Amino acid sequence: MIRFLWLDYRAALRERKVWFVVALFAYTVLVLPVLLARPPPHVRDAMDTWFGARDPFTLFMFMWTDLAMNKLIATAAVVLAGGVLLRERDTGVLPLLAAKPISLPGYFAVRTTSTCAVMATVYLGAQLAGALYFSVMVEGFRPGTFLAAASLHVWAAVFSTALAATLLVVVRRRGLGLMVGLLALLLLVGMAFIGFYNPAWATVSLLNPISLGVQSLGHLDALGPGVLVPPMLALVGFTALTIAAGAWSVRDMEV
Amino acid sequence: MSAIEIEGLSRRFGAVRAVESVSLSVEPGEIFGLMGHNGAGKTTLLRMLLGLTAPSAGRARILGHDVASDVLAVRRICGYLPADYALPPDMTPRRFLAYVAAMFSLPRAEAEARAETWLQRLGLIAAADRRLRGFSTGMAQKVGVAQALINEPRVLFLDEPTSGLDPLGRHELLELLRELARDRGVTIVFSSHILSDVETLCRRVAAMHHGRLVACGEVAALKREHGVATMDDLYLALVRREAA
């Protein structure tokens, strides 16, 4: 099964849509310093209110995480997960593969896991490229803190991919499933910072996996395992539960 | 023990009876023909034997494994080429065969050796590292045959395998199937509406019409029974008898 997962991951990496997602991430890395050059005043004020900080790096991290990465993981997750099971069913590949000695739930779990791995690969590639580029382009940039924050947020990207794949098979119709996945993810992304805006909601907001992925922004000066590991583990749990729900929903699907 | 035992297998889709109470058996190493026009129920029957479609009633066993309760064991010993399918366009034949072999948990070296063998045997070696996108129907069908054989199946289900093949490719495939049955003892269920292929290959056949089994037996005996000389005439006689 490990070899099958590995081959599926490599096959998924070679799909055309991955290049589209790579282009989205590359574009985001390239344009962020341009956006950062003249941030809107209300964003600066918000930084002061939410994080009690006005330093340029906090502003950069907010822009990178919320304005760029959060929106991007929602979009990229839907693009990458759009082929899991339903596209294979619709194009006629699934009848061939479903006759092999792996159950449909097992096949869904493998395909979704490898798609999540593709998302993580592209995401981490963009973070590494960003760390090099921003070191030159962004004043006061702290690559260590940037990469530590990315090590948590990547799990939010992985969760987004699993959720998009699961919603697709729950809905069972490709177009509608992609739409529902995108709306659900944008809703979660839209509420990701609600615990920062209103501290009274900070605990409840942790039920939102995307909020867990941005927890590092409240601790940029003291990022360590104590801050990063608990939300990471929670995101791994959310992802596993989501994949399990998707696998359960396809158990009686006929191809 | 029969390789395939089917007892009263049925499948309904709403009011439509796709397969109705089919019972038959196939002996080990036999090439068994399944004939019938489009929509006769051949594909649904094959899909039920592989657990891809759940039966509404009845039961079936493949080499002793129940297709409902032991479906993964059934698939492990079977090869299947569906009538309608597509290949992943971004893979090459070599990678696709490795991918399918991994689904059977074959060790890497063994999977590569088997893939190489079938790529050679089916004349695909020159195109082995080209993307499947853009393959001709005949070439894609050969890759389809190779994936059905990669696990060295003991039972092979082929649904319209000669469609899309040119005369030479068709001849080579029929020869390969004879060899698999003769030399390796593979049991083959060959479903087709090309009756000349069925006659060329099979000693025993079953004919399906509107989901029902209308005849099952040796080709020669069926011809004698219905007083006909060709497969076409036999099939027409069976269908006309049903219509009457």
Side-chain angles (χ1 to χ4, degrees), chain B residues 62-135:
Chain B
I62 311 286
L63 293 173
H65 298 285
D66 190 282
V67 300
S69 60
D70 205 3
V71 66
L72 296 187
V74 168
R75 291 178 189 170
R76 211 164 281 126
I77 54 172
C78 290
Y80 176 49
L81 180 68
D84 292 313
Y85 67 93
L87 299 167
D90 291 315
M91 283 196 196
T92 66
R94 196 187 301 278
R95 285 195 187 124
F96 180 58
L97 292 180
Y99 185 83
V100 172
M103 295 179 97
F104 285 95
S105 303
L106 290 181
R108 182 179 174 175
E110 192 178 343
E112 286 174 356
R114 287 190 195 181
E116 199 66 21
T117 301
W118 288 117
L119 289 168
Q120 287 275 9
R121 177 68 200 263
L122 293 163
L124 288 165
I125 206 76
D129 297 307
R130 259 176 45 202
R131 285 190 185 222
L132 289 161
R133 186 190 306 279
F135 264 43

Side-chain angles (χ1 to χ4, degrees), chain B residues 145-164:
Chain B
V145 170
Q147 67 77 34
L149 295 170
I150 196 77
N151 61 318
E152 294 187 348
R154 293 169 64 196
V155 178
L156 190 55
F157 294 104
L158 303 171
D159 199 355
E160 309 286 358
T162 50
S163 64

